[in-house]
Amino acid sequence: MAASMTRGTRAPPRPGDLSGEGTQGLPNLSLEPKQLPELIRMKRDGGRLSEADIRGFVAAVVNGSAQGTQIGAMLMAIRLRGMDLEETSVLTQALAQSGQQLEWPEAWHQQLVDKHSTGGVGDKVSLVLAPALAACGCKVPMISGRGLGHTGGTLDKLESIPGFNVIQSPEQMQVLLEQAGCCIVGQSEQLVPADGILYAARDVTATVDSLPLITGRLTPKSASPKSPRKLQALHCLQLPLPPHKASILSKKVVEGLSALVIDVKFGGAAVFPNQEQARELARTLVGVGADLGLRVAAALTAMDKPLGRCVGNALEVEEALLCMDGAGPSDLRDLVTRLGGALLWLSGHAATQAQGAARVAAALDDGSALGRFELMLAAQGVDPSLARALCSGSPAQRRQLLPRAREQEELLAPADGTVELVRALPLAQVLHELGAGRSRAGEPLRLGVGAELLVDVGQKLSRGTPWLRVHLDGPPLSGLQRRALQHALVLSDRAPFTAPSPFAELVLPPQQ
């Protein structure tokens, strides 16, 4: 099995051993790289880094010779000065080549799909979509990350399930795909280790909120970083090109995908403030993907309000399980089925997007997605009896099996009105203060901390009615925190209405 996972019989490189050839480690540098302080100073002053400079920096990150302060300084210099397309391409390839490359059985090629999101509040789509796609015949080797910014990431949510192990070797990933059809893992010492280090550093150096470099996500192993058509397409962006999203490409490159959907968020709690800016970026993303022979679609989805009703690691797992029961919030189900339908269509598993969405919906309703999730849990370290109890129990029983906060506090509506909006950003900021997110790399999270929305957008609300339940481990909410949360509730005088789907549009490859 191991032979089918890697090229040749060479042993995987040790972390920091970037002297190998081909896909095992970075190639030997033709030029002696500059010292790190010189590289930082060069980029700080707006200079351009050579291929040897960038690969030397990545090598220093992995082998430990780069100090944490130097890594942070370089990230900030790049954040402020940007990188041109060739620099970013080299950085992306260096990250991807810093570890072992994944190789799958040839028969799996059309089955391999994945989804990535630019991040949102309450976004637990991956937890539902990966097993749902597996139930539809796909293989989903999802390499995900921890929390960046306000609340936990996909791995943090899954680690609220006792025993869940996100660190899996390439060989173990193949076993997981054979057994469950999906896995959700993090970077290990074998898989893109350089990106794992930079990913954690960005979380605590205020370099997360830069405009993402989507291009890097789309470079396949065979693509030339100097492709004229790629350069022409990307210059139309008229945006700075910081590299923090090059990490997404480095994870997707090693997956060997057949199709990819990227969920590009826009709105008050997203990187992109408006749909027009997100659409311009999505069109360029999809056009470059088509030029490089990749089947990529970009969904534009609103992130003004939280997705679903729950925010917080364990609470989001509960809501994901509810969605896989065929129930749960309509906005979450809608987004899961639409993204899944697009992937099934792009990968040839469905004749149309609508048929693909119907297949995903059926997997949620008939229990097959939940069955795949249970298989994934057991295969990734969760005790089989616990996995079974989580996937077959009632919502109340599930809550007893997952981390819980010690206290709950409810907020009351300050006036009569219709819920026009629940702002996601202030809600996430308060939950971060309460321990649902991290401020330092490696900082433990309070997995039971979170919040439940007790109302829906469009609902009529009376003064004094509970609208938010906060789960917290520490002291009661401060006056400042309570005011921030109450500010998140926006009431209006209009009649009750049905909230629109967060899904705004899907940007497709030209030939589609």
Side-chain angles (χ1 to χ4, degrees), residues 241-255:
L241 298 173
H244 84 265
K245 288 299 183 181
S247 70
I248 297 165
L249 169 66
S250 70
K251 290 189 281 283
K252 301 311 174 188
V253 162
V254 300
E255 290 177 8

Side-chain angles (χ1 to χ4, degrees), residues 248-322:
I248 297 165
L249 169 66
S250 70
K251 290 189 281 283
K252 301 311 174 188
V253 162
V254 300
E255 290 177 8
L257 300 175
S258 169
L260 172 66
V261 164
I262 299 178
D263 182 359
V264 182
K265 304 289 188 185
F266 65 90
V271 173
F272 305 104
N274 58 67
Q275 186 173 342
E276 291 72 24
Q277 189 176 19
R279 183 187 299 115
E280 180 182 9
L281 192 60
R283 285 174 175 168
T284 303
L285 158 69
V286 170
V288 173
D291 186 45
L292 298 175
L294 296 176
R295 281 171 286 185
V296 180
L300 304 184
T301 66
M303 185 38 67
D304 292 302
K305 62 176 287 292
L307 182 61
R309 283 189 162 207
C310 293
V311 182
N313 297 288
L315 292 176
E316 291 188 45
V317 171
E318 292 182 31
E319 191 164 67
L321 287 164
L322 196 61

